[in-house]
């Protein structure tokens, strides 16, 4: 079970430098609440957000993906997400829903419980349930956040 992440554990060297860290701190509570509501790992969601938008809630991708976790409108519609994808809470809630679906989808496809790396790869490329460079980057960012103690702690 993932632990609730305190804002003190979101430090600059974990999420794309000082600007990313400041944005991450501002979003930590929302990310933690929405991730924990569905039993997801807040640090995984944060690592995806760092990779997708560098914690810029108003980011719009070149193919129309929107918000913190860069969700396309067709993906949001397919997964029953309602609301403005530029709203942080809506965007995170939808991303968690997509990740849960992708884990189930990969588990069925693989005939065993899907690993985080397979689920994250599928988040980026639906139907791809194997290690990809994207998934490796996201999981490395999450692991760094877990391994390095928050500032002020030994």
């Amino acid at each position: 079970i993932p632990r609730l992440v305190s804002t003190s554990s979101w430090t600059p060297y974990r999420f794309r430098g000082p600007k990313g860290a400041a944005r991450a701190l501002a979003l930590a509570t929302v990310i933690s609440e929405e991730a924990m509501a569905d039993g997801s790992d807040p640090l995984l969601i944060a690592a995806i957000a760092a990779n997708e938008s560098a914690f810029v809630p108003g980011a719009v991708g070149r193919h129309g993906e929107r918000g913190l976790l860069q969700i396309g409108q067709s993906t949001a519609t397919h997964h029953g997400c309602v609301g403005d994808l530029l709203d942080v809470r809506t965007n995170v809630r939808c991303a968690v829903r997509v990740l849960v679906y992708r884990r189930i989808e990969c588990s069925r496809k693989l005939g065993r419980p899907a690993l985080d790396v397979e689920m994250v790869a599928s988040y980026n490329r639906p139907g791809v349930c194997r290690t990809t460079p994207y998934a490796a980057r996201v999981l490395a960012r999450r692991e760094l956040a877990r391994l390095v103690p928050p500032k002020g702690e030994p």
Side-chain angles (χ1 to χ4, degrees), residues 5-133:
V5 179
S6 70
T7 55
S8 66
S9 69
W10 300 55
T11 57
Y13 47 85
R14 295 188 187 143
F15 298 109
R16 290 198 172 181
K19 288 183 181 179
R23 289 190 296 262
L25 283 170
L27 301 167
T29 301
V30 173
I31 291 172
S32 294
E33 288 172 359
E34 292 301 326
M36 296 294 293
D38 215 359
S40 296
D41 180 358
L43 290 178
L44 179 62
I45 303 300
I48 294 171
N51 201 73
E52 291 289 332
S53 70
F55 293 106
V56 176
V60 177
R62 64 179 173 225
H63 299 292
E65 308 90 343
R66 300 171 64 82
L68 191 63
L69 289 136
Q70 291 294 280
I71 301 169
Q73 189 59 53
S74 62
T75 299
T77 302
H78 177 74
H79 292 284
C81 303
V82 294
D84 181 6
L85 289 173
L86 293 177
D87 173 69
V88 174
R89 193 168 295 277
T90 301
N91 193 274
V92 174
R93 187 177 301 133
C94 187
V96 169
R97 183 178 287 188
V98 171
L99 282 168
V100 168
Y101 177 82
R102 297 283 198 251
R103 182 179 299 277
I104 293 167
E105 180 182 58
C106 283
S107 295
R108 286 184 185 144
K109 184 175 182 177
L110 298 168
R112 61 168 170 75
L115 303 173
D116 283 353
V117 70
E118 295 158 342
M119 172 187 64
V120 170
S122 184
Y123 179 82
N124 182 245
R125 294 179 61 203
V128 174
C129 299
R130 58 178 163 71
T131 303
T132 63

